Each structure stands twice: as C-alpha cells, then as structure tokens.
Amino acid sequence: MKETAIIYCEGKFGTMDGKTANGLVRSSRNYKIAGVIDSTKAGMDAGEYLENVKNGIPIFENLDSAFENLPRIPDQFVFGLAPSEGLLKNEERNIVFQAMENGLHIVNPLHEFLTDDEEFMNHAEKCNVRINDVRKPPAKKDMHLFSGRILDVRTPIVAVLGTDSAVGKRTTSVLLEEALLDMGLNVAFVATGQTGLIQGAKYGVAIDAIPSQFMTGEIENQVLRAYENEEPDIIIVEGQGALSHPAYISSCGIIRGSRPGSVIIQHPPKRKNLGDFEYMPMPSIESEIELIEGFSQAKVIAVTINHENMSDEEIQDAVTEYERDLKLSTSDVLKHGCGKLIESIFETYPDLKNKQKRALYN
C-alpha cells in the first residue's frame, strides 16, 4: 500500500507557487494524498477547486485540523510550496517541527536543504523521523559529465518545453505518458524537477540544483538509464522554465542533455508577464518556437495551452488561432485530453503507430 501524505500549501494552492501541491493532487504514484493544508480554502475539495471535479482530497485549515479529522495521522508531510527564493520562513519552520513531533517524515522540495540544518536534524533524530531533501544533488564525484552516448539513442525522444515556468509542462508530460501507456506503448518518463520526483518518476533529476558543468551529463545519464533499463518505444522528457527566460538556464541543459528529436510547447495565452518576474513581458509563442528550433535543431510538433484565466470560449479561440497561424495541432490537455498530441507524435514517428497496433493486437 502507498504511504499517506499531507501537503502543506498555505495560501497558494491552485496558484503558480503551489505547483508542487497541485501536481501531487492531480497525480501521485508514491503517496496517497490524505489532504492539503491551506486555510484560505479550508473545507473545499482539492480536486473540485483545481478542476471542478471532486477527488475526495479535503483541504484543511492547519495541521491540527487535519489530525482531528483524518482517520489516522499521515506518514509523510510534503512541503507543497515552490517559492522562487526556495527558502523556509520562520513560521514554516515551526510547522515542519510540528509535523515531525507528530511522527511525520518530511519531504522537502526546496533549495534549502534541511539535512544540512543542525536544528532540523536534531529534531528529526529526537522524533525518529526521516527528512528527504528532494533537490539535494549527489556529491560531485558521483555526477556525470556529458558523454555523447545519447547520440546513439534511436528511440524517439520528445521534450515538453514552455514559454515560462509553472505553465503545466510536467502535467502535460505525465498525462501524455499515461495516455501512451494506455495505448499499449512502452513509455519512459524523465522528470527534471522536484514535483515529478515526488510524484514517483522512476528516472529524473532536479536539474536546477545541479552545477551547470554537470547539467547536460546528469540529464543524459537519466535518459540513458531509462533507455537501457526499459527499452522504451518513446521517451518523454519534462522541461523546466523556458529557453528564453532570463533567470533560468535549466532548459539549455535539458535540451543539450536529452537531445530531443521533437518538442511539444506549452503556453498560457492570457499571461502578460513572466510568473515570478512581473517586470518582464511574456515571450510570444512564435518567438519561443523559433528559439527552440534554432537552439535544439528539433521541430516543435504541437502546442498545449495553459488555460489560466481563460473561459472555454477563449480556449477554443486560442486553439483555432494557433492551428491556423502556426500550422501545429493545439490542445488543452486538462480540458480535451492528449489525442491531438498523440496524433502529432504518430505523424512524426510512424513506427510508433505500428507498435501501438501490434500491442493492441497482442
């Protein structure tokens, strides 16, 4: 049975800074999500708040309320916020201590490593709990430099990139993986961020915690592990940030390390400025496609829409506009599924269609 987890996401569930919590509520192979903590949405159903579909995951005001109302205390406490500074505030430290005192193991996705904090480690030992710093990189002696072996991989590699951070690249990647698996294909998913790893991705690395010298090698190593261990029909690689983003270089490492043959690009049509950098205007989807294709030598084969602040009519208008102007299949995977993406993948890699037919026949 899966261990149970409570997710802390005070004031941010359903927002950009709550993307770790949002992702785990949508999909988690590692944990059964017992609830979310966000006092601003207490009493609501997490699935209904995110996507207007109840999923039975309650939102609580605080830890005490969760402990009082859940049938048993969860096994894990997941810090579900992803602030740009990546550090705990004083009140958040106290909440983590409270979780430890109630016997919960700690899953920490921040850049601040709790296992390097003497106070946290002493408290963990006292409470007999573990701390998992998801973003903590391996020792440099265990990291990988780019080897070039990725050039020998003949399996289709599709990267899901975007025009900004927190636009749904991981969500699209996970949904696409699930859809292709349901069609009988053998799919390997390579996560590149903390949420994908917490969700239970078998392969991956938190790329933004890796020194730049090792970024491409670490990504290459994870893709090669998936290729050699799984013998997959297709490999899906999660993107981070955006290639054009002035504050992040992770997309460069992901592209160079995974060497995708094709790209799916995610874009929020109503977002005017970069999420955590309001003084920077969003790039156009046209400019990002041009940049990606020039930098990677891979073709963008489809567009996915992040529908934040959009009505259903606006979503359909955007789909129509992008398909007309960009000549690329366009979809909102949360609203309409992954059918169009899969069609584009099959058009690009016809052998996959044949493998899918054989899988269904067998």
Side-chain angles (χ1 to χ4, degrees):
M1 291 181 62
K2 291 181 180 179
E3 289 192 322
T4 54
I6 188 86
I7 308 170
Y8 178 80
C9 196
E10 177 56 34
K12 300 295 184 180
F13 183 64
T15 70
M16 278 185 59
D17 283 351
K19 65 179 183 179
T20 297
N22 304 340
L24 288 169
V25 163
R26 288 188 173 111
S27 175
S28 178
R29 295 172 183 170
N30 273 356
Y31 307 115
K32 177 178 172 57
I33 306 304
V36 175
I37 295 170
D38 182 345
S39 64
T40 66
K41 303 166 187 73
M44 301 184 71
D45 178 277
E48 186 172 31
Y49 182 81
L50 270 187
E51 290 160 354
N52 296 316
V53 179
K54 288 187 176 182
N55 61 8
I57 298 176
I59 304 178
F60 298 106
E61 181 176 1
N62 50 40
L63 265 180
D64 287 333
S65 175
F67 294 156
E68 289 170 6
N69 289 280
L70 290 171
R72 70 179 184 87
I73 291 178
D75 303 300
Q76 304 277 344
F77 173 94
V78 180
F79 192 84
L81 294 165
S84 57
E85 67 273 14
L87 303 174
L88 286 173
K89 300 179 177 68
N90 285 334
E91 62 268 24
E92 293 167 345
R93 290 176 67 90
N94 292 331
I95 290 165
V96 176
F97 287 139
Q98 181 187 359
M100 296 166 81
E101 289 159 7
N102 282 274
L104 280 74
H105 304 292
I106 306 301
V107 180
N108 168 38
L110 300 178
H111 284 296
E112 178 181 7
F113 303 137
L114 307 188
T115 52
D116 290 341
D117 186 308
E118 186 176 354
E119 187 177 15
F120 273 113
M121 291 307 291
N122 289 339
H123 214 72
E125 183 177 2
K126 176 183 175 182
C127 298
N128 194 30
V129 299
R130 301 183 303 276
I131 297 175
N132 175 17
D133 284 329
V134 178
R135 263 186 168 127
K136 194 168 189 178
K140 287 186 176 64
K141 66 180 179 62
D142 298 321
M143 291 185 189
H144 299 81
L145 293 169
F146 185 73
S147 71
R149 291 198 298 136
I150 193 77
L151 303 175
D152 297 326
V153 173
R154 295 293 172 257
T155 297
I157 299 173
V158 178
V160 181
L161 306 180
T163 53
D164 192 8
S165 60
V167 292
K169 298 180 289 290
R170 185 202 65 258
T171 298
T172 293
S173 299
V174 170
L175 291 175
L176 180 58
E177 177 200 17
E178 292 174 352
L180 290 167
L181 286 169
D182 288 344
M183 298 181 77
L185 291 171
N186 183 15
V187 187
F189 169 55
V190 177
T192 57
Q194 70 278 10
T195 304
L197 296 173
I198 297 171
Q199 284 178 309
K202 189 174 180 181
Y203 302 98
V205 60
I207 188 65
D208 61 1
I210 301 295
S212 59
Q213 182 180 5
F214 297 98
M215 273 188 173
T216 56
E218 284 295 292
I219 291 293
E220 179 193 42
N221 180 60
Q222 292 300 322
V223 174
L224 289 172
R225 286 183 61 234
Y227 173 69
E228 292 165 357
N229 293 346
E230 307 298 330
E231 298 182 359
D233 298 316
I234 183 172
I235 300 171
I236 306 297
V237 179
E238 174 196 11
Q240 294 294 321
L243 189 58
S244 64
H245 203 297
Y248 306 132
I249 63 170
S250 46
S251 285
C252 301
I254 290 167
I255 290 170
R256 291 300 196 212
S258 67
R259 305 282 297 193
S262 300
V263 171
I264 293 167
I265 186 168
Q266 183 106 5
H267 180 63
K270 293 294 286 289
R271 193 179 293 185
K272 301 300 183 185
N273 299 295
L274 295 177
D276 288 321
F277 303 86
E278 294 184 356
Y279 50 85
M280 294 293 298
M282 281 286 296
S284 69
I285 190 168
E286 291 87 354
S287 68
E288 197 73 26
I289 290 172
E290 183 179 0
L291 184 62
I292 288 169
E293 292 187 339
F295 184 80
S296 67
Q297 297 181 335
K299 295 295 293 182
V300 173
I301 62 172
V303 176
T304 48
I305 288 175
N306 176 318
H307 60 240
E308 62 184 41
N309 302 318
M310 297 178 73
S311 67
D312 287 346
E313 183 178 357
E314 288 173 322
I315 294 168
Q316 188 54 55
D317 287 345
V319 168
T320 301
E321 176 188 341
Y322 292 162
E323 291 192 332
R324 181 192 66 228
D325 296 345
L326 302 174
K327 304 296 187 290
L328 293 170
S329 293
T330 302
S331 181
D332 178 335
V333 296
L334 288 174
K335 293 278 189 178
H336 308 136
C338 293
K340 285 186 177 181
L341 303 188
I342 293 172
E343 288 176 10
S344 295
I345 289 171
F346 283 170
E347 287 177 9
T348 307
Y349 305 104
D351 285 350
L352 283 178
K353 181 78 171 175
N354 297 329
K355 288 182 179 180
Q356 183 251 340
K357 289 180 178 177
R358 287 198 294 271
L360 292 176
Y361 180 78
N362 293 331

